[in-house]
Amino acid sequence: MPADADGPDDRHGPDSQQAEFGEARWPMAGAVIGAMLLSQLMPDDLRLGPRWLLPLGEGLLLLTLIAGDPGRISRRSAALRAVAIALVGVLAVSAIWSTVRLIDDLIHGGAETNSATGLLQAGGSVWASTVLAFSLLYFELDGGGAAARAHRMPTTPELAFPQQLSPELNARQWRPRYIDYLYLGLTNSTAFSPTDVMPLAPWAKISMAVQSLVSLLILGLVIARAVNVLA
């Protein structure tokens, strides 16, 4: 029976809105799997721990999240929140560790720095890992995480997207998805500064500043060394 024109429409109730705003799990899971694969492409001395250790830990944390909140991310749970932050923390620490090791090899000399091909592969893997790690960091911290954003967006955004800064877009019900945070991580790593997303919260400014510096060091030193090797 169609809903009465003057009465409420159940299709637009709180449950349907939560289902609409809850983001699918697979983009975030795909990013984690991508980071796990990238870690396998790195030389052993750039990787934090044995080859199997990080993928195993990250995989177990990811499976815990999927089992606790499958399908769409909408379940608010302190335990799941802790697991998500732990996963992002492992990815971020691993990416920073690989960056530090790569920079040390570039300065003092390392096996992969003597070959332009090996250097570009190692540098590209480390750089892409930082993009994924920071995109997941923004995804998990902004607005209390994806599950919290599915229920309610904060009054004052921590990361202000164009849809939130431009009233004429009439995007009051808009929610950022993982692709928006991936785009933020990519552009921040290539422009070394904010592009269309403005960091308003202190944690967002610090995170974006750290990512810009890390990316600048990786790209600058890797390109300079590659040119030197080819010369």
Side-chain angles (χ1 to χ4, degrees):
M1 178 181 296
D4 187 82
D6 297 325
D9 187 346
D10 291 339
R11 292 173 300 174
H12 301 286
D15 292 338
S16 65
Q17 287 186 345
Q18 177 179 329
E20 178 184 353
F21 295 142
E23 181 173 1
R25 173 70 69 183
W26 69 264
M28 171 266 182
V32 174
I33 294 172
M36 293 163 60
L37 294 176
L38 285 171
S39 71
Q40 299 303 298
L41 298 177
M42 298 179 191
D44 290 339
D45 61 338
L46 300 186
R47 195 181 303 108
L48 180 60
R51 181 178 294 271
W52 56 268
L53 181 60
L54 282 178
L56 176 61
E58 293 161 357
L60 289 175
L61 291 171
L62 178 59
L63 289 175
T64 302
L65 288 176
I66 294 175
D69 190 15
R72 293 189 172 273
I73 308 174
S74 59
R75 181 185 173 190
R76 290 182 289 188
S77 164
L80 289 176
R81 174 82 168 144
V83 172
I85 291 178
L87 175 57
V88 170
V90 171
L91 290 168
V93 169
S94 174
I96 296 297
W97 171 267
S98 298
T99 299
V100 171
R101 292 296 304 153
L102 176 64
I103 292 172
D104 182 71
D105 282 358
L106 287 168
I107 294 175
H108 298 101
E112 71 278 352
T113 64
N114 296 321
S115 165
T117 302
L119 175 60
L120 291 175
Q121 177 180 335
S125 297
V126 173
W127 182 82
S129 295
T130 63
V131 172
L132 291 177
F134 276 93
S135 69
L136 289 165
L137 178 72
Y138 304 138
F139 173 79
E140 189 55 45
L141 294 186
D142 185 32
R149 293 192 300 270
H151 293 266
R152 182 181 63 84
M153 287 293 289
T155 304
T156 302
E158 297 172 312
L159 287 167
F161 290 85
Q163 290 88 340
Q164 297 165 312
L165 294 174
S166 302
E168 65 273 11
L169 294 179
N170 192 27
R172 289 184 303 168
Q173 302 300 323
W174 179 82
R175 298 290 194 277
R177 307 287 184 177
Y178 174 70
I179 185 62
D180 299 296
Y181 296 101
L182 179 60
Y183 178 76
L184 166 61
L186 178 62
T187 55
N188 194 49
S189 282
T190 52
F192 314 125
S193 64
T195 52
D196 63 338
V197 182
M198 295 295 106
L200 302 184
W203 72 261
K205 295 179 180 181
I206 294 172
S207 299
M208 291 184 69
V210 170
Q211 186 190 9
S212 296
L213 291 174
V214 167
S215 182
L216 179 61
L217 286 171
I218 294 174
L219 294 180
L221 291 176
V222 168
I223 292 173
R225 178 60 179 167
V227 171
N228 186 52
V229 171
L230 291 172

